[in-house]
Amino acid sequence: HPEHVKYLSNLVFTLQLRYERMGLLTDLDEAVEMGREAVRRMPPDHPERGVSLNNLGIAVRTRFERLGAVGDLDEAVEVGREAVRAMPADHPEHVKYLSNLVFTLQLRYERMGLLTDLDEAVEMGREAVRRIPPDHPQRVVSLNNLGIAVRTRFERLGAVGDLDEAVEVGREAVRAISADQPDRAKPLTTLGNALLVRFTRTGQVSDLDEAVEVGRQAVRAVSADHPGRARTLCIWGNALSVRFGRTGTMDDRNTAASVFAEAAGVESAAPSIRINAARAAASLWAVSEPARAAALLEKAVELLPLVAPRRLERPDQQHALGAFGGIAADAAALTLADPGLPSHARPARALRLLEAARAVMLSQALRTRGDVTELRERHPDLAARFVELREVLDGFTGGAASAVMTSADQTPADAARQTAQDGRRLLAEEFTALLEHIRTLNGFAHFALPPTTGQLLEQAVSGPVVVFSVSNHRSDALLLTSGGVTALTLPGLTLAAVIDQVNAFHQALSTAADTTAPRAARADAEMTIQDVLGWLWDEAAGPVLAALGYHQPPAPGEPWPRVWWVPGGVLSLLPVHAAGHHTGLTDPQHRTVLDRVVSSYTPTVGALRHARQRSAARGTASHRGLIVAMPTTPGLSGHGDLPNVTAEAAKVRARLPDSVVLSEPGGTTPADPGRLPTTANVLTHLSRCAIAHFACHGVSDPADPSNSRVLLHDHQTDPLTVTALVPIALDHARLAYLSACGTALTATVHLLDEAIHLASVFQLAGFPHVVATLWPINDAVAVTIATAFYTALTTADGTLDTDQAACALHRSVRAIRAAHLTTPSLWAAYIHAGA
C-alpha cells in the first residue's frame, strides 16, 4: 500500500525516541533496519521521502554515538545530505534537516578530524539559524547545533570570535525554550560547555560560575532514569571540578565526585560515558576515599569490553578503547591502596583488573581460539558453527559477511556497506547466543570465558611472572610465583619519570641509528641509552629480581631461571629485559637482567596461558619451515636494500633444510610467481609450517597499529598487516622469528595497553614462541644473532627444540653484547614473547 512506507518511517522515529528514553540498543538497531527499508522502498518523488531520510539519518547517527562505528557516521552524513536535497529550500522542514546535518558533520569532524566537515557544519548552522523563524519549534535545536559547531571550531583553530558566538548562541537557545520543556537540558549543557571553554581561555570567573549554575539547571531538567542524565551530570561535574581546581573549595570537589559517581551508575547510558564518569569520580576520591574510588574503577573495567563489541570493525574497536588508555593501571593502583580490603587480598584483585583492562581485543580473540576438541567430539554441529562464526568475525570483510548473511545481490556501494554492517551485527549476535548456549551444556560452563585467578596463578609454574602497574597514583610490580601473588611498591617508577626516560631513550635511539650524525653524537646517544637501562634497573628490574631472590647468575651447569615480563602501558616502550648497568668491567653484583635470568614477554598472563596450551597441543616439533627474505623491497628508496638478508636466509636454511624459501629476486632474474614473497604465498605456506623466519623491513604504524606490517614483494597493493593476520589460525605453528624493525612495538601511545603489533598477532595465529624486536635493527647484526639463535636451538640429533627459544635468544644476545657492550642499540631490541 502506498501509505505503508510512511507508517514504517513513523515507527522508525518512535523506536528512536524509545531508545533515547530507555537506552535499549535493540530499539535502535530495529529503527535503523526499518529506516533503511523505508528509504529503499520509497519512490524518489514520494512526498514523504525527505522525512524518511531524515529519520534514518538520525537513527544511524545515534547508533554511531552509542557504538562508534564509522560506517554508521558516514551513512548518517550521506543520508542527511540526501534529506536536505529532497526537500525544497522554501519548505518549512528544510531548515530542520539542515540543522540535523550540521550536528552530524560536527560529529564526523570529532571522529575523523577533517576541518572541511567542521567548516561546512558552521556554515550550514548559520544558514539554518538565519532562515528559521523566531517561533519555529526547531529553532532551539538549530541554535544548539550551531553553538556546538562553533565551540568545536574554536577548540581546533582558536578564533575567539567562534567562542563568543558559541556563548551568545547558547544563551539564545536557552531563552528560546521554556522551563517545562523536556529537552531543556540540551541547550543548557551546550551553553555550560561553551562557558567552561571560555573560562579556560580568558580566566573570567563569572563564566565559570555561570557554567556551574547552568550545569545544575540542566541536571534538574532530566529525569533520574533518563539515559541522557549521565552525560548531563558529567558536564556539570566538569564545571565543578574546574572550579575546585581554581578555588580548592571542598564542597565543589565532593559534589563533583558524587555527580560523576551518579553518572557512572546510570545503567541505560552508553558504557563509554559511564567509564569516563567513574574515572573522573575516582580521580577526585583517590586520596580521601580510596575504597570508593577503587570500587568505581572496578566497575569501569568491567564495562570496557562493552565499548569494543565484536560487531564493531577493528578500527572502530581500537578508537573506542584508545579513549581509556591507562585505566588498567589506575584501577590496580587504587585497589592496592584500598583500606577496605585485607592487604593479602589486594594483589590478586589488582591482577584481575589488569588482566581485564589490558589487551581487550587480543584477549577477546584468544578466548575463542582455545581448544574445541571436546566440543567437536560431543557436539560436532555446534563446534562447526562456532568455528565458522569465529573465523568470519575475526577476518570480517563486507563481502564475507554478505555471503554468509544474504543471497541478495546489492550493487550500489551504500547498499553493500549497509549489508556488511548488518551482516556483522547479526553474526555477532548469533555468536554471542551460541556461546551462551554452549555454556549451558554439561561440562562447558566455562567455555571461552576469561581465565580464573587460580588459572592465572598457575602460570608461575615455570618461573615468576612480573606484571607492572604504573599510574599517577602509585606504581607497583605484581609478582606471581608458586606461592601466590604479592605486590612490590616501586616508588621511583613514577609515570612522569617513565615518560621522561621513554622520550630520552627513543630520541637517543634515533640519533644512534642516524648514519649521517657525527660519530660523537652517536656515541653520546649510546651513553644515554645505557643511562636509561641503568635507571630501569635501579627503579624496576633490580628491585623485582631482588624480591624474587635472583641476586647472581646461576652456578655453572645449573639451568638459567626464567622470568616473564608484563610491562603494560608506557613502560612497554622500554626494554625491561635489557635493564642493567652494562659496564666494561666485571660487576661482582651482576646488576643486569641478562646476567641473572632468561626473559620472556607476554601482553597478559592470560595470553601466556594460551601460548602454553598451544605449545602443549603441538607435540613433537616439525622441521618444516618458511623463510621469507627481502634483500630489496619494491617501492622503497634505494630499493630498501638489506645487503645481509641473503646471508641470513642462507644461515637459517642450513638449520632448516626442510624449508620453503620465498625470496625477492635480484637483477634481471625471472621470477617464479610461486616463490615470490607475496602476502598470498606467505599465508599459503604459513598454514603448513612449524617455523617461520622473516628477514625484511618492518613498519610499526603510529596512526593505526593494526596497519603495522612486514614489507613483502606486494606491500603496496596487498600488505601483510596485523589486520591481515588476525583471522589466521594455524595448526602446526611453533616458532616465528621476525627479523624486522619494530615488530613488537606499538607506536600509538593511547593504545599501548592493547599490545597491537606483529608479535602479538603471530601469537594469536598460533605461534607459542615469537622472536621480535622493539625498534629498528642492524641487518648485519641480525645475521649474527639469527645464526647463533638457530645454532643454540639445535639439539644433538640435529633437530630444533623450539621450546628452548627463549634460552637460545638469551644466549645469542649475551654473546652480541660481549662484542658490542657500549652500543646497546644493536642488541637490546631483541625479545622473546610467549611460552
Side-chain angles (χ1 to χ4, degrees):
H1 191 282
E3 292 292 280
H4 185 267
V5 288
K6 175 182 175 180
Y7 301 157
L8 200 62
S9 187
N10 289 342
L11 180 55
V12 169
F13 183 65
T14 310
L15 285 163
Q16 159 78 19
L17 283 179
R18 189 166 73 172
Y19 164 76
E20 290 182 356
R21 183 61 183 84
M22 307 297 292
L24 296 173
L25 192 54
T26 51
D27 280 342
L28 196 51
D29 285 334
E30 187 179 359
V32 171
E33 285 183 21
M34 288 189 171
R36 288 171 175 168
E37 182 184 351
V39 169
R40 279 195 300 267
R41 293 175 50 195
M42 191 169 277
D45 57 349
H46 195 288
E48 294 288 328
R49 183 170 177 80
V51 175
S52 294
L53 287 163
N54 187 65
N55 290 348
L56 171 59
I58 293 173
V60 289
R61 181 188 75 200
T62 305
R63 193 167 70 176
F64 163 78
E65 292 181 90
R66 172 64 181 266
L67 294 173
V70 170
D72 279 342
L73 183 56
D74 287 339
E75 182 181 354
V77 171
E78 292 173 16
V79 168
R81 292 191 196 282
E82 192 175 347
V84 170
R85 289 193 297 267
M87 191 66 67
D90 58 350
H91 193 283
E93 293 290 277
H94 185 266
V95 289
K96 173 182 176 180
Y97 301 162
L98 201 63
S99 186
N100 286 340
L101 180 56
V102 167
F103 185 60
T104 308
L105 285 165
Q106 185 268 334
L107 277 181
R108 191 165 72 172
Y109 162 76
E110 289 186 351
R111 176 64 175 83
M112 307 301 293
L114 294 174
L115 190 56
T116 51
D117 279 342
L118 190 54
D119 285 339
E120 186 180 1
V122 171
E123 183 180 341
M124 285 187 172
R126 288 170 175 167
E127 180 186 353
V129 168
R130 278 196 304 269
R131 290 174 47 198
I132 204 162
D135 58 348
H136 195 290
Q138 191 69 18
R139 183 169 178 80
V140 173
V141 175
S142 296
L143 288 164
N144 190 65
N145 291 349
L146 173 59
I148 294 171
V150 289
R151 186 207 75 222
T152 303
R153 193 167 70 174
F154 163 78
E155 292 173 320
R156 169 68 181 267
L157 299 177
V160 177
D162 280 343
L163 184 55
D164 289 340
E165 182 180 359
V167 172
E168 181 183 343
V169 166
R171 285 175 173 157
E172 187 178 351
V174 170
R175 289 193 297 268
I177 189 168
S178 61
D180 59 347
Q181 287 294 309
D183 283 342
R184 181 173 169 79
K186 291 181 180 179
L188 284 167
T189 54
T190 299
L191 173 59
N193 266 335
L195 288 164
L196 191 58
V197 170
R198 193 165 72 174
F199 165 76
T200 61
R201 171 68 174 77
T202 66
Q204 190 169 328
V205 177
S206 59
D207 279 343
L208 179 58
D209 290 339
E210 185 180 356
V212 170
E213 179 55 33
V214 164
R216 190 192 321 273
Q217 294 175 25
V219 169
R220 288 174 179 166
V222 185
S223 59
D225 61 343
H226 195 290
R229 184 174 177 82
R231 189 186 298 274
T232 306
L233 285 163
C234 287
I235 291 171
W236 184 30
N238 288 338
L240 287 163
S241 295
V242 170
R243 193 166 71 177
F244 164 67
R246 181 185 177 278
T247 66
T249 304
M250 297 307 293
D251 282 348
D252 280 345
R253 190 209 68 170
N254 295 337
T255 303
S258 298
V259 161
F260 284 129
E262 182 186 347
V266 180
E267 294 188 0
S268 57
S272 57
I273 295 174
R274 298 178 63 193
I275 295 170
N276 279 324
R279 201 170 188 179
S283 179
L284 292 167
W285 273 333
V287 176
S288 62
E289 300 188 56
R292 293 181 74 177
L296 276 168
L297 281 190
E298 184 170 3
K299 292 291 185 184
V301 166
E302 291 172 358
L303 290 170
L304 269 182
L306 299 181
V307 305
R310 278 187 174 269
R311 65 182 285 175
L312 289 184
E313 295 182 5
R314 191 172 183 86
D316 293 328
Q317 288 181 311
Q318 285 180 184
H319 186 271
L321 290 169
F324 306 110
I327 194 171
D330 288 343
L334 293 178
T335 296
L336 290 168
D338 183 358
L341 285 174
S343 58
H344 68 272
R346 296 174 197 168
R349 183 171 291 189
L351 172 64
R352 183 176 65 80
L353 292 173
L354 288 168
E355 285 291 300
R358 284 178 174 168
V360 174
M361 293 167 64
L362 178 64
S363 299
Q364 183 185 72
L366 286 175
R367 286 198 293 271
T368 59
R369 296 285 183 97
D371 189 5
V372 294
T373 303
E374 186 177 358
L375 186 66
R376 281 197 182 101
E377 291 173 352
R378 295 174 55 184
H379 306 281
D381 292 343
L382 292 180
R385 186 57 177 161
F386 171 80
V387 171
E388 180 185 11
L389 289 170
R390 181 194 69 194
E391 291 179 350
V392 172
L393 285 168
D394 282 352
F396 184 88
T397 63
S402 298
V404 173
M405 297 309 306
T406 179
S407 59
D409 293 324
Q410 299 188 43
T411 52
D414 56 345
R417 182 195 62 222
Q418 292 165 14
T419 300
Q421 290 173 344
D422 289 342
R424 185 174 184 91
R425 174 177 62 82
L426 294 173
L427 285 170
E429 289 173 357
E430 183 186 352
F431 189 64
T432 299
L434 180 61
L435 277 173
E436 292 173 354
H437 173 62
I438 291 171
R439 290 169 188 154
T440 66
L441 303 175
N442 186 32
F444 292 93
H446 300 288
F447 182 79
L449 285 174
T452 64
T453 302
Q455 290 170 330
L456 294 175
L457 295 178
E458 289 171 2
Q459 302 316 305
V461 63
S462 299
V465 182
V466 180
V467 183
F468 287 102
S469 171
V470 179
S471 84
N472 277 318
H473 303 293
R474 57 182 282 170
S475 295
D476 303 86
L478 301 181
L479 311 180
L480 281 70
T481 66
S482 56
V485 55
T486 56
L488 174 67
T489 303
L490 300 170
L493 197 72
T494 65
L495 181 58
V498 172
I499 291 172
D500 287 343
Q501 295 294 326
V502 165
N503 289 336
F505 187 82
H506 283 270
Q507 179 59 52
L509 281 177
S510 178
T511 302
D514 183 2
T515 57
T516 66
R519 184 185 298 271
R522 297 173 68 187
D524 288 345
E526 294 288 358
M527 289 184 64
T528 298
I529 293 171
Q530 291 185 71
D531 290 343
V532 174
L533 295 180
W535 174 87
L536 193 56
W537 169 267
D538 293 339
E539 304 300 346
V544 165
L545 293 187
L548 293 172
Y550 299 131
H551 302 286
Q552 297 285 334
E558 292 292 321
W560 280 79
R562 294 190 61 186
V563 172
W564 279 263
W565 304 103
V566 188
V570 70
L571 192 61
S572 65
L573 295 173
L574 293 176
V576 178
H577 71 287
H581 296 276
H582 302 274
T583 63
L585 302 175
T586 301
D587 181 2
Q589 296 178 289
H590 302 284
R591 293 174 301 159
T592 76
V593 175
L594 281 168
D595 291 326
R596 296 194 189 182
V597 298
V598 173
S599 293
S600 295
Y601 286 85
T602 181
T604 64
V605 185
L608 175 60
R609 178 173 180 263
H610 175 83
R612 287 175 171 164
Q613 289 173 332
R614 302 290 287 185
S615 183
R618 293 293 185 262
T620 304
S622 164
H623 287 178
R624 185 172 181 83
L626 169 65
I627 301 170
V628 181
M630 295 290 297
T632 62
T633 305
L636 295 189
S637 175
H639 302 292
D641 284 350
L642 295 172
N644 294 288
V645 159
T646 301
E648 180 176 343
K651 294 285 188 181
V652 175
R653 190 174 190 183
R655 296 289 178 178
L656 282 171
D658 184 19
S659 298
V660 172
V661 179
L662 304 178
S663 182
E664 185 70 15
T668 58
T669 304
D672 176 357
R675 295 292 176 173
L676 279 176
T678 64
T679 293
N681 284 342
V682 166
L683 293 179
T684 297
H685 290 290
L686 268 181
S687 64
R688 306 168 190 161
C689 77
I691 299 174
H693 186 99
F694 289 79
C696 57
H697 283 291
V699 174
S700 180
D701 193 318
D704 177 6
S706 285
N707 193 42
S708 298
R709 56 206 180 274
V710 287
L711 300 188
L712 304 180
H713 175 78
D714 56 347
H715 71 94
Q716 295 168 297
T717 56
D718 186 19
L720 186 60
T721 63
V722 167
T723 298
L725 286 161
V726 165
I728 305 301
L730 305 173
D731 294 327
H732 308 291
R734 294 198 64 87
L735 166 67
Y737 192 118
L738 308 178
S739 185
C741 298
T743 48
L745 172 67
T746 300
T748 309
V749 174
H750 59 281
L751 283 169
L752 288 173
D753 274 336
E754 284 300 296
I756 303 170
H757 45 61
L758 288 163
S760 64
V761 81
F762 269 89
Q763 284 189 281
L764 176 62
F767 287 94
H769 300 279
V770 179
V771 174
T773 62
L774 291 172
W775 57 80
I777 56 175
N778 179 287
D779 76 318
V781 172
V783 178
T784 306
I785 290 183
T787 303
F789 172 80
Y790 285 100
T791 300
L793 214 58
T794 305
T795 63
D797 62 0
T799 60
L800 298 182
D801 184 359
T802 55
D803 287 336
Q804 294 300 310
C807 295
L809 183 66
H810 177 255
R811 178 175 166 182
S812 305
V813 171
R814 276 170 53 86
I816 287 290
R817 182 188 61 163
H820 302 279
L821 190 63
T822 59
T823 51
S825 67
L826 295 178
W827 48 263
Y830 290 83
I831 69 163
H832 170 267

